[in-house]
């Protein structure tokens, strides 16, 4: 199960993800939250994400692509090196 806490701090909301990010309702829920009609950048805090599958990772990549099309940015915070490696987010590695 995935739970997401939204923390509004300044102009950029942080989505704190807890649990599992897997195919199905979990990945759909994250996608819907992150890509909702808004004009702000988004931070995903993945410190408390304890498992994921390829579909979950694909959801993060898709969110990042869609946000970039609208001149928004998706940043990762506290992501494991495994997640960063699989997603190819080398520029975010310093924030992990």
């Amino acid at each position: 199960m995935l739970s997401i806490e939204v923390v509004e701090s300044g102009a950029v909301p942080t989505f704190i993800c807890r649990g599992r990010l897997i195919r199905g309702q979990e990945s759909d829920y994250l996608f819907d939250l992150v890509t909702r009609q808004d004009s702000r950048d988004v931070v995903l805090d993945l410190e408390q994400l304890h498992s994921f599958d390829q579909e979950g990772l694909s959801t993060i990549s898709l969110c990042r692509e869609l946000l970039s099309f609208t001149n928004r940015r998706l940043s990762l915070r506290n992501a494991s090196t495994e997640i960063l490696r699989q997603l190819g987010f080398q520029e975010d590695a310093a924030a992990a």
Side-chain angles (χ1 to χ4, degrees):
M1 174 175 216
L2 177 70
S3 68
I4 301 173
E5 177 185 353
V6 181
V7 177
E8 299 283 345
S9 57
V12 180
T14 298
F15 295 83
I16 301 172
C17 300
R18 294 181 180 96
R20 307 177 316 158
L21 179 56
I22 58 172
R23 180 181 184 168
Q25 290 180 338
E26 285 88 351
S27 58
D28 292 345
Y29 178 56
L30 178 65
F31 181 83
D32 290 344
L33 276 177
V34 171
T35 61
R36 65 185 172 197
Q37 296 294 327
D38 198 331
S39 60
R40 298 182 293 172
D41 294 341
V42 172
V43 174
L44 285 183
D45 187 321
L46 304 177
E47 183 174 28
Q48 297 178 51
L49 190 68
H50 61 76
S51 64
F52 56 89
D53 65 8
Q54 193 58 45
E55 181 75 21
L57 293 178
S58 294
T59 299
I60 293 172
S61 290
L62 184 58
C63 288
R64 189 176 203 199
E65 285 183 43
L66 285 172
L67 290 178
S68 72
F69 289 140
T70 58
N71 297 315
R72 296 164 61 198
R73 182 176 171 181
L74 173 67
S75 299
L76 300 181
R77 182 179 297 155
N78 300 315
S80 70
T81 54
E82 179 65 15
I83 289 174
L84 292 173
R85 184 187 64 76
Q86 289 192 34
L87 290 172
F89 281 27
Q90 285 79 21
E91 69 273 15
D92 290 333

